Amino acid sequence: MGMLGRACVFLAITIVCMNADSIYRWIKGDNFSIIERHVMKVIMSDCKSNSKDVMFLPDNVVTQIPRYNELLTKVWYKNRSALIEMHNSALNRAMFFSYILQRMNDSKLFFVQPDWNYMFLSTTADVNAHKGIFNGSAIYFDTHCHYPNWYTTVDFNKTLELFGPKAYGVDDSYDMGNFLRENTKRTNVVKDAGSGSGRNYTSEGYKMNPWYSFWLPDIKGDQDSVQKFTYAVNIKYSNETGKFTKEEYDTFRFFGPNSPGISEKDESKLPVRFTKPYFDCSGSKKWVISAAAPIVDYMPRYLNWTHLRRQRFVGVIVIDRDFMEIDYNACRPSIGNPGPSFLGGVDKCKKDTTTVDLQVLPVVENAEISLSNTVKKRSLLSYNDSYISLQKRHIENFKKTLIKANLDPEPVETVEEEPEPRARSRKKRSANFDKYSFNRMLDIFERVKRVNKDNCHSMPDSYKVLPGDVAYGVESQFDNQARQALRIAHFLTNFYQNVVPGENFGTLKGGNRVHYEHLFGEVLANVMADHKILSSGVFFEPYFFEDENGTKKEYFGPWAFKRDGEYFAIDTAGFKKRYTDEPWYRVIASRWQTNTKGIQKYRMKALIRSDPNGTSTIKHEYYPMGYFAPAVGDGIWSRPHFKCDGRVDNWVITYSIPFIGLDDLRKKYKFRGVATVDVPLDQIEIDQCAQQFSVANAFKNTARCDYKSTDCSKLSGYKFQRGAYKCACKRGFEYPWKDGREWFQGSLMEQEHLKKTLGLFSIYDGLKCRVSSSAAVNVSIVLFVCALLISLFRQTHI
């Protein structure tokens, strides 16, 4: 190395050494570092010896927490779907137990109320049906608020001091029978948290009970009217196939979690509340965040003087999620991103990333679309030449269908054909826009708009069913709703594979049957706790369901739905048409009746109390208890169809999942029925961006982006409407307009293309990105000095 090279190296090392200390000075520790150190310190320590303050994180570490009265009015992104599912599941279980405890609040029904076995299986189903989403599920009863019907040594009308079935996932890598030694995430421990040492979860010293003080203990009644809401459900029973007990609905009213209005800001009035992150030392040994909802019952329950009873919070449902799997918001609080946020501002983004020399969109006066009488305005629609003739053909065919159905055809939007231009320039066809798909999309929207509850009975069946690719994305967008049907399927599968009617374990009863009221409550809870579930049902195979007296029913299918703010439940066995003839049932039955291959094994490790006092916790006689059940992917989504039944009367998509039992000899697994949920088609988000030909999406390749300079991506929050996409600049291009945006909105692209097609003033051709340029060039001081020295060295030698 020459003298010049050594000088350059020496200079570079000198500059680096001079700034070495400053490198670590400007990268200062932030709030994320504080949280990270705190989390790891607790994980590596003995959690039982830590103080309660150490076991919690600040309450604003997790932001954008779902609120009950904002679920329908606010856009929730994908990284909050798990929190919404926690919210809905906690409310679901609170609705069920509030309903069933008040519905069966009768001494005659005392021994068929949900027992310990029912609750153990229920919490297990919560976790297994939401594998990878929920970390735990629990039902905590307040002090002396649970009446056990499952101990032969506890007198009637006596309570347990505490009772809290809690299920949580555990690592089964080293369990017997797991030969791969890999965690299957299908094993749960279920224990009674109200038994054993340190069982008093109502005490301040319990440390892991931030959910308790939300509603418990409920001693005073001054807040009953604002914290407990009265719900009404209408039920129709059937004791004979093809006939209802009576044609009128039986209306039952019960108290449940509150249902606040949209303007309510007080968190204490919400039906579901989220805790601050805390370390679950008593179970999973993880940092978790919990969604909690209250259970309402009459207390005291069995009393001769009923006027002394009042509705009271008797327990709380707690759903846990691993805190380490929750996305945090690193951006600074701003408009659209309100604070407070403990981790807000830990991002490394530059404060100013503006571009110079931006253009301003032109403002044109009197530029409104003025069409003839035969044309109506339609938002987010665009037209092209091929659509005009094809649309007219669809309209004529549709008019003929309406006339055949004795219906007057309504005026349909039409567009006058444009005169052919004298000279047409040859343009290269875009491979990312498909005219056929575009015209097909318009036909789909027209059919959805035309068929309604008033004319659906006169429509042919072919017009009430849409192609399957219209439901593209339903598996991911309605995954949470599908898992509510899966939860019921897991519960029934576990029950019918492991519970033997009449079986007892010493003084502990464990062989109660599933009562028909339990299943009415389960399907009602599904539709009452989730805005996106229009109806839900459980449908048994013929002659399988048994009443509490052991009598088998030919058909039994409790089905719940909501309409105009009211809730209904019907035993579909009373319908003249058999539910076994429905397409969704036949498809599932044909797959599972003769072959149950593909179901996976789940394990439940039950830890029960040794005696009614909860002196210690012992293993159940069946430890571990295994069952084979389907996963969410084993269910089937139907084609979008109009449910024209006088009840739902809406475009829906049905998810169906089987539940599996044992044959009469309890040797082989056998298909025993179907659990379903119906979700509304108008809540699905369509994707108009370019996709491969193999993707079954009815709306693909219909976006109007300029694909040379922009990339298309779907926008969240726009339900079943066009223009829900954005055209963002590709690398090497920049956004040219000065309008506060960084990409072109799909609705603008659609509207401007419509104007261009109609011969009106349009800026459609200008809605594209320009080649990017740099306003400044940064040069390293080391390279500059080295270049200067090389230049001087060459000059001296020349």
Side-chain angles (χ1 to χ4, degrees), residues 154-170:
V154 176
D155 295 334
F156 174 78
N157 206 19
K158 299 296 182 180
T159 59
L160 296 181
E161 181 180 3
L162 292 173
F163 180 58
K166 177 181 180 180
Y168 55 91
V170 294

Side-chain angles (χ1 to χ4, degrees), residues 274-514:
F274 283 80
T275 67
K276 62 176 67 176
Y278 64 97
F279 193 78
D280 182 17
C281 190
S282 65
S284 60
K285 303 294 190 296
K286 291 182 178 181
W287 283 95
V288 299
I289 182 173
S290 299
I295 303 172
V296 185
D297 192 10
Y298 286 110
M299 294 297 289
R301 185 185 295 176
Y302 306 108
L303 192 67
N304 293 330
W305 301 279
T306 57
H307 65 280
L308 297 179
R309 298 187 304 173
R310 75 172 181 92
Q311 66 273 24
R312 175 182 169 185
F313 291 140
V314 299
V316 60
I317 301 293
V318 179
I319 303 293
D320 298 335
R321 175 165 170 78
D322 191 344
F323 167 72
M324 307 297 286
E325 296 182 0
I326 300 177
D327 292 341
Y328 69 92
N329 191 349
C331 298
R332 303 172 183 88
S334 60
I335 299 176
N337 182 34
S341 174
F342 187 82
L343 295 176
V346 301
D347 61 292
K348 304 303 179 184
C349 299
K350 296 180 179 179
K351 294 183 178 180
D352 189 5
T353 57
T354 57
T355 307
V356 297
D357 301 328
L358 294 177
Q359 306 174 37
V360 180
L361 285 169
V363 178
V364 181
E365 297 181 357
N366 300 325
E368 296 183 0
I369 301 178
S370 178
L371 307 178
S372 63
N373 294 332
T374 59
V375 180
K376 295 181 180 178
K377 294 182 183 179
R378 176 183 287 184
S379 61
L380 304 182
L381 284 185
S382 58
Y383 296 85
N384 54 40
D385 296 338
S386 65
Y387 164 65
I388 297 172
S389 58
L390 185 61
Q391 187 202 36
K392 287 187 174 181
R393 187 165 69 252
H394 286 315
I395 292 172
E396 294 301 325
N397 292 337
F398 205 89
K399 285 182 177 179
K400 292 179 181 178
T401 303
L402 293 175
I403 294 174
K404 290 180 180 179
N406 296 322
L407 298 174
D408 295 330
E410 300 176 2
V412 181
E413 178 180 9
T414 60
V415 177
E416 297 293 337
E417 294 190 30
E418 296 183 33
E420 287 291 331
R422 295 182 180 179
R424 173 170 289 183
S425 59
R426 182 179 180 86
K427 294 183 179 180
K428 184 178 180 180
R429 183 181 65 179
S430 173
N432 295 309
F433 181 80
D434 189 347
K435 293 183 179 180
Y436 173 78
S437 297
F438 179 80
N439 296 330
R440 182 169 177 258
M441 176 181 65
L442 295 180
D443 179 58
I444 291 170
F445 276 105
E446 188 64 36
R447 186 182 302 186
V448 171
K449 175 185 175 183
R450 283 291 188 176
V451 182
N452 53 58
K453 65 179 181 180
D454 297 324
N455 60 18
C456 65
H457 294 281
S458 303
M459 289 285 185
D461 292 339
S462 60
Y463 269 82
K464 292 183 285 188
V465 179
L466 296 175
D469 57 357
V470 175
Y472 171 78
V474 67
E475 296 89 350
S476 59
Q477 296 182 38
F478 290 99
D479 177 75
N480 294 341
Q481 288 68 38
R483 291 181 185 273
Q484 295 301 344
L486 180 66
R487 182 192 59 78
I488 294 180
H490 267 256
F491 168 74
L492 293 176
T493 296
N494 195 353
F495 191 94
Y496 285 118
Q497 291 183 21
N498 289 294
V499 178
V500 179
E503 185 178 30
N504 294 331
F505 306 94
T507 60
L508 184 69
K509 298 179 181 179
N512 281 353
R513 290 183 172 88
V514 175

Side-chain angles (χ1 to χ4, degrees), residues 584 587-588 591-592 632-638 654-658:
W584 45 264
V587 171
I588 290 291
R591 159 64 180 89
W592 295 93
V632 67
D634 293 322
I636 297 177
W637 288 97
S638 72
T654 301
Y655 175 80
S656 308
I657 188 76

Side-chain angles (χ1 to χ4, degrees), residues 103-115:
R103 181 65 172 173
M104 308 185 81
N105 192 349
D106 191 323
S107 58
K108 296 180 181 179
L109 299 175
F110 175 75
F111 291 104
V112 293
Q113 293 174 6
D115 57 5

Side-chain angles (χ1 to χ4, degrees), residues 595-626:
N595 184 10
T596 58
K597 184 178 180 180
I599 55 179
Q600 297 176 319
K601 186 173 184 178
Y602 297 81
R603 289 182 175 87
M604 184 183 79
K605 299 179 178 180
L607 302 174
I608 60 176
R609 56 178 57 205
S610 58
D611 54 56
N613 295 325
T615 306
S616 61
T617 301
I618 61 174
K619 292 181 180 180
H620 185 258
E621 185 173 336
Y622 298 151
Y623 182 96
M625 186 183 297

